[in-house]
mmCIF file of all heavy atoms in Angstrom:
data_model
loop_
_atom_site.group_PDB
_atom_site.id
_atom_site.type_symbol
_atom_site.label_atom_id
_atom_site.label_comp_id
_atom_site.label_asym_id
_atom_site.label_seq_id
_atom_site.Cartn_x
_atom_site.Cartn_y
_atom_site.Cartn_z
ATOM 1 N N TRP A 1 -0.355 7.227 15.101
ATOM 2 C CA TRP A 1 -1.509 8.197 15.068
ATOM 3 C C TRP A 1 -2.159 8.270 13.716
ATOM 4 O O TRP A 1 -3.419 8.260 13.585
ATOM 5 C CB TRP A 1 -1.081 9.545 15.444
ATOM 6 C CG TRP A 1 -2.069 10.698 15.185
ATOM 7 C CD1 TRP A 1 -3.228 10.856 15.907
ATOM 8 C CD2 TRP A 1 -1.901 11.615 14.203
ATOM 9 N NE1 TRP A 1 -3.958 12.056 15.308
ATOM 10 C CE2 TRP A 1 -3.099 12.600 14.277
ATOM 11 C CE3 TRP A 1 -0.954 12.060 13.210
ATOM 12 C CZ2 TRP A 1 -3.400 13.544 13.394
ATOM 13 C CZ3 TRP A 1 -1.199 13.062 12.383
ATOM 14 C CH2 TRP A 1 -2.280 13.894 12.520
ATOM 15 N N ARG A 2 -1.383 8.375 12.675
ATOM 16 C CA ARG A 2 -1.909 8.478 11.321
ATOM 17 C C ARG A 2 -2.838 7.180 10.979
ATOM 18 O O ARG A 2 -3.899 7.241 10.393
ATOM 19 C CB ARG A 2 -0.828 8.526 10.249
ATOM 20 C CG ARG A 2 -0.182 9.913 10.246
ATOM 21 C CD ARG A 2 0.789 10.173 9.003
ATOM 22 N NE ARG A 2 1.857 9.209 9.001
ATOM 23 C CZ ARG A 2 2.967 9.550 9.622
ATOM 24 N NH1 ARG A 2 3.148 10.612 10.354
ATOM 25 N NH2 ARG A 2 3.987 8.648 9.463
ATOM 26 N N GLU A 3 -2.275 5.926 11.369
ATOM 27 C CA GLU A 3 -3.060 4.770 11.156
ATOM 28 C C GLU A 3 -4.374 4.696 11.958
ATOM 29 O O GLU A 3 -5.413 4.339 11.336
ATOM 30 C CB GLU A 3 -2.160 3.451 11.528
ATOM 31 C CG GLU A 3 -2.858 2.285 11.032
ATOM 32 C CD GLU A 3 -1.991 0.973 11.289
ATOM 33 O OE1 GLU A 3 -0.730 1.106 11.463
ATOM 34 O OE2 GLU A 3 -2.466 -0.166 11.144
ATOM 35 N N LEU A 4 -4.255 5.186 13.180
ATOM 36 C CA LEU A 4 -5.505 5.090 14.028
ATOM 37 C C LEU A 4 -6.460 6.132 13.521
ATOM 38 O O LEU A 4 -7.688 5.863 13.468
ATOM 39 C CB LEU A 4 -5.150 5.368 15.455
ATOM 40 C CG LEU A 4 -4.437 4.226 16.220
ATOM 41 C CD1 LEU A 4 -4.013 4.739 17.603
ATOM 42 C CD2 LEU A 4 -5.375 3.098 16.311
ATOM 43 N N ARG A 5 -5.980 7.311 13.220
ATOM 44 C CA ARG A 5 -6.796 8.357 12.617
ATOM 45 C C ARG A 5 -7.533 7.966 11.388
ATOM 46 O O ARG A 5 -8.859 8.136 11.273
ATOM 47 C CB ARG A 5 -6.056 9.688 12.272
ATOM 48 C CG ARG A 5 -6.784 10.835 11.803
ATOM 49 C CD ARG A 5 -5.888 11.794 11.024
ATOM 50 N NE ARG A 5 -5.191 11.201 9.974
ATOM 51 C CZ ARG A 5 -4.303 11.905 9.170
ATOM 52 N NH1 ARG A 5 -3.989 13.167 9.497
ATOM 53 N NH2 ARG A 5 -3.674 11.290 8.114
ATOM 54 N N ASN A 6 -6.758 7.436 10.359
ATOM 55 C CA ASN A 6 -7.440 6.960 9.204
ATOM 56 C C ASN A 6 -8.504 5.743 9.414
ATOM 57 O O ASN A 6 -9.454 5.826 8.766
ATOM 58 C CB ASN A 6 -6.368 6.433 8.197
ATOM 59 C CG ASN A 6 -5.420 7.593 7.662
ATOM 60 O OD1 ASN A 6 -5.857 8.735 7.654
ATOM 61 N ND2 ASN A 6 -4.146 7.317 7.347
ATOM 62 N N PHE A 7 -8.121 4.946 10.384
ATOM 63 C CA PHE A 7 -8.960 3.851 10.664
ATOM 64 C C PHE A 7 -10.259 4.342 11.372
ATOM 65 O O PHE A 7 -11.363 3.960 11.014
ATOM 66 C CB PHE A 7 -8.302 2.833 11.619
ATOM 67 C CG PHE A 7 -9.230 1.798 12.099
ATOM 68 C CD1 PHE A 7 -9.562 0.716 11.385
ATOM 69 C CD2 PHE A 7 -9.902 2.008 13.503
ATOM 70 C CE1 PHE A 7 -10.452 -0.336 11.823
ATOM 71 C CE2 PHE A 7 -10.625 0.907 13.834
ATOM 72 C CZ PHE A 7 -11.008 -0.160 13.103
ATOM 73 N N CYS A 8 -10.088 5.354 12.103
ATOM 74 C CA CYS A 8 -11.191 6.033 12.910
ATOM 75 C C CYS A 8 -12.127 6.677 11.920
ATOM 76 O O CYS A 8 -13.491 6.345 11.903
ATOM 77 C CB CYS A 8 -10.757 7.026 13.917
ATOM 78 S SG CYS A 8 -12.005 7.731 14.896
ATOM 79 N N LEU A 9 -11.627 7.366 10.943
ATOM 80 C CA LEU A 9 -12.366 8.121 10.035
ATOM 81 C C LEU A 9 -13.140 7.253 9.073
ATOM 82 O O LEU A 9 -14.334 7.325 8.772
ATOM 83 C CB LEU A 9 -11.638 9.037 9.196
ATOM 84 C CG LEU A 9 -11.040 10.232 9.974
ATOM 85 C CD1 LEU A 9 -10.064 11.010 8.961
ATOM 86 C CD2 LEU A 9 -12.131 11.213 10.561
ATOM 87 N N ARG A 10 -12.392 6.122 8.650
ATOM 88 C CA ARG A 10 -12.994 5.132 7.774
ATOM 89 C C ARG A 10 -14.134 4.316 8.434
ATOM 90 O O ARG A 10 -15.131 4.162 7.795
ATOM 91 C CB ARG A 10 -11.946 4.183 7.270
ATOM 92 C CG ARG A 10 -12.327 3.173 6.158
ATOM 93 C CD ARG A 10 -11.142 2.425 5.658
ATOM 94 N NE ARG A 10 -10.423 1.661 6.578
ATOM 95 C CZ ARG A 10 -9.256 2.062 7.184
ATOM 96 N NH1 ARG A 10 -8.568 3.154 6.705
ATOM 97 N NH2 ARG A 10 -8.633 1.255 8.123
ATOM 98 N N THR A 11 -13.934 3.937 9.679
ATOM 99 C CA THR A 11 -14.867 3.185 10.350
ATOM 100 C C THR A 11 -16.086 4.027 10.653
ATOM 101 O O THR A 11 -17.244 3.465 10.552
ATOM 102 C CB THR A 11 -14.282 2.755 11.741
ATOM 103 O OG1 THR A 11 -13.149 1.902 11.439
ATOM 104 C CG2 THR A 11 -15.356 1.861 12.471
ATOM 105 N N LEU A 12 -15.981 5.287 11.136
ATOM 106 C CA LEU A 12 -17.120 6.219 11.277
ATOM 107 C C LEU A 12 -17.932 6.314 10.073
ATOM 108 O O LEU A 12 -19.211 6.391 10.149
ATOM 109 C CB LEU A 12 -16.778 7.471 11.801
ATOM 110 C CG LEU A 12 -16.057 7.434 13.361
ATOM 111 C CD1 LEU A 12 -15.546 8.861 13.646
ATOM 112 C CD2 LEU A 12 -17.183 7.122 14.251
ATOM 113 N N LYS A 13 -17.362 6.444 8.859
ATOM 114 C CA LYS A 13 -17.961 6.542 7.649
ATOM 115 C C LYS A 13 -18.751 5.313 7.365
ATOM 116 O O LYS A 13 -19.901 5.275 6.870
ATOM 117 C CB LYS A 13 -16.973 6.792 6.486
ATOM 118 C CG LYS A 13 -17.708 6.882 5.032
ATOM 119 C CD LYS A 13 -16.578 7.274 4.111
ATOM 120 C CE LYS A 13 -17.231 7.511 2.742
ATOM 121 N NZ LYS A 13 -16.253 7.712 1.705
ATOM 122 N N ASP A 14 -18.122 4.083 7.606
ATOM 123 C CA ASP A 14 -18.745 2.807 7.283
ATOM 124 C C ASP A 14 -19.970 2.666 8.249
ATOM 125 O O ASP A 14 -20.918 1.940 7.861
ATOM 126 C CB ASP A 14 -17.776 1.587 7.486
ATOM 127 C CG ASP A 14 -16.705 1.685 6.504
ATOM 128 O OD1 ASP A 14 -16.918 2.288 5.468
ATOM 129 O OD2 ASP A 14 -15.648 1.068 6.760
ATOM 130 N N LEU A 15 -19.898 3.164 9.482
ATOM 131 C CA LEU A 15 -20.883 2.948 10.489
ATOM 132 C C LEU A 15 -22.124 4.011 10.237
ATOM 133 O O LEU A 15 -23.104 3.939 11.038
ATOM 134 C CB LEU A 15 -20.441 3.146 11.932
ATOM 135 C CG LEU A 15 -19.378 1.968 12.400
ATOM 136 C CD1 LEU A 15 -18.841 2.337 13.741
ATOM 137 C CD2 LEU A 15 -20.181 0.638 12.429
ATOM 138 N N GLY A 16 -21.875 4.944 9.297
ATOM 139 C CA GLY A 16 -23.045 5.910 9.000
ATOM 140 C C GLY A 16 -22.786 7.191 9.592
ATOM 141 O O GLY A 16 -23.806 7.933 9.691
ATOM 142 N N TYR A 17 -21.577 7.561 9.861
ATOM 143 C CA TYR A 17 -21.363 8.955 10.468
ATOM 144 C C TYR A 17 -21.750 9.949 9.381
ATOM 145 O O TYR A 17 -21.308 9.751 8.226
ATOM 146 C CB TYR A 17 -19.883 9.047 10.819
ATOM 147 C CG TYR A 17 -19.502 10.365 11.404
ATOM 148 C CD1 TYR A 17 -19.977 10.693 12.670
ATOM 149 C CD2 TYR A 17 -18.827 11.297 10.710
ATOM 150 C CE1 TYR A 17 -19.690 11.973 13.288
ATOM 151 C CE2 TYR A 17 -18.457 12.549 11.352
ATOM 152 C CZ TYR A 17 -18.986 12.850 12.571
ATOM 153 O OH TYR A 17 -18.608 13.977 13.211
ATOM 154 N N ASN A 18 -22.408 10.991 9.706
ATOM 155 C CA ASN A 18 -22.950 11.969 8.828
ATOM 156 C C ASN A 18 -24.018 11.432 7.904
ATOM 157 O O ASN A 18 -24.334 12.041 6.746
ATOM 158 C CB ASN A 18 -21.850 12.677 8.040
ATOM 159 C CG ASN A 18 -21.062 13.615 8.871
ATOM 160 O OD1 ASN A 18 -21.556 14.077 9.937
ATOM 161 N ND2 ASN A 18 -19.826 13.940 8.641
ATOM 162 N N LYS A 19 -24.617 10.221 8.214
ATOM 163 C CA LYS A 19 -25.698 9.744 7.289
ATOM 164 C C LYS A 19 -26.840 9.492 8.070
ATOM 165 O O LYS A 19 -27.004 10.085 9.335
ATOM 166 C CB LYS A 19 -25.236 8.337 6.777
ATOM 167 C CG LYS A 19 -23.910 8.569 5.816
ATOM 168 C CD LYS A 19 -23.594 7.113 5.147
ATOM 169 C CE LYS A 19 -22.427 7.287 4.279
ATOM 170 N NZ LYS A 19 -22.029 5.955 3.730
ATOM 171 N N ARG A 20 -27.824 8.916 7.574
ATOM 172 C CA ARG A 20 -29.092 8.831 8.215
ATOM 173 C C ARG A 20 -29.144 7.950 9.511
ATOM 174 O O ARG A 20 -30.049 8.192 10.418
ATOM 175 C CB ARG A 20 -30.160 8.155 7.222
ATOM 176 C CG ARG A 20 -30.415 9.089 5.990
ATOM 177 C CD ARG A 20 -31.574 8.386 5.204
ATOM 178 N NE ARG A 20 -31.954 9.219 4.148
ATOM 179 C CZ ARG A 20 -32.918 8.953 3.263
ATOM 180 N NH1 ARG A 20 -33.514 7.757 3.225
ATOM 181 N NH2 ARG A 20 -33.247 9.849 2.212
ATOM 182 N N SER A 21 -28.238 6.982 9.629
ATOM 183 C CA SER A 21 -28.026 6.262 10.850
ATOM 184 C C SER A 21 -27.765 7.110 12.015
ATOM 185 O O SER A 21 -28.305 6.840 13.127
ATOM 186 C CB SER A 21 -27.049 5.149 10.748
ATOM 187 O OG SER A 21 -25.738 5.662 10.407
ATOM 188 N N ILE A 22 -26.893 8.142 11.939
ATOM 189 C CA ILE A 22 -26.637 8.999 12.881
ATOM 190 C C ILE A 22 -27.778 9.832 13.271
ATOM 191 O O ILE A 22 -28.173 10.156 14.357
ATOM 192 C CB ILE A 22 -25.455 9.882 12.593
ATOM 193 C CG1 ILE A 22 -24.255 9.192 12.710
ATOM 194 C CG2 ILE A 22 -25.374 11.172 13.505
ATOM 195 C CD1 ILE A 22 -23.729 8.743 14.073
ATOM 196 N N ASP A 23 -28.663 10.244 12.261
ATOM 197 C CA ASP A 23 -29.816 11.051 12.443
ATOM 198 C C ASP A 23 -30.814 10.149 13.307
ATOM 199 O O ASP A 23 -31.476 10.769 14.193
ATOM 200 C CB ASP A 23 -30.508 11.459 11.187
ATOM 201 C CG ASP A 23 -29.694 12.473 10.421
ATOM 202 O OD1 ASP A 23 -28.873 13.191 10.971
ATOM 203 O OD2 ASP A 23 -29.780 12.562 9.098
ATOM 204 N N THR A 24 -30.821 8.958 13.082
ATOM 205 C CA THR A 24 -31.733 8.093 13.817
ATOM 206 C C THR A 24 -31.452 7.955 15.188
ATOM 207 O O THR A 24 -32.295 8.079 16.193
ATOM 208 C CB THR A 24 -31.824 6.637 13.190
ATOM 209 O OG1 THR A 24 -32.162 6.654 11.844
ATOM 210 C CG2 THR A 24 -32.630 5.718 13.980
ATOM 211 N N ARG A 25 -30.086 7.870 15.481
ATOM 212 C CA ARG A 25 -29.552 7.827 16.855
ATOM 213 C C ARG A 25 -29.941 9.155 17.664
ATOM 214 O O ARG A 25 -30.273 9.175 18.805
ATOM 215 C CB ARG A 25 -28.053 7.559 16.885
ATOM 216 C CG ARG A 25 -27.648 6.187 16.414
ATOM 217 C CD ARG A 25 -26.151 5.931 16.670
ATOM 218 N NE ARG A 25 -25.795 4.689 16.450
ATOM 219 C CZ ARG A 25 -25.224 4.249 15.327
ATOM 220 N NH1 ARG A 25 -25.083 4.946 14.333
ATOM 221 N NH2 ARG A 25 -24.896 2.933 15.191
ATOM 222 N N VAL A 26 -29.718 10.214 16.911
ATOM 223 C CA VAL A 26 -30.064 11.643 17.473
ATOM 224 C C VAL A 26 -31.412 11.797 17.872
ATOM 225 O O VAL A 26 -31.836 12.155 18.949
ATOM 226 C CB VAL A 26 -29.648 12.807 16.585
ATOM 227 C CG1 VAL A 26 -30.076 14.085 17.075
ATOM 228 C CG2 VAL A 26 -28.102 12.753 16.409
#
């Protein structure tokens, strides 16, 4: 769980989570 959680958070950050790319999708 810890490895998947960290990977998930890191990947979402890399993909632009909470950044402009998410705003564009919205």
Side-chain angles (χ1 to χ4, degrees):
W1 167 68
R2 288 194 295 274
E3 184 172 353
L4 286 175
R5 178 199 61 182
N6 293 335
F7 173 80
C8 180
L9 294 175
R10 184 171 61 251
T11 300
L12 290 176
K13 182 178 179 180
D14 293 340
L15 292 174
Y17 183 70
N18 282 338
K19 294 182 180 180
R20 291 185 178 180
S21 60
I22 286 292
D23 293 339
T24 301
R25 290 186 173 101
V26 172

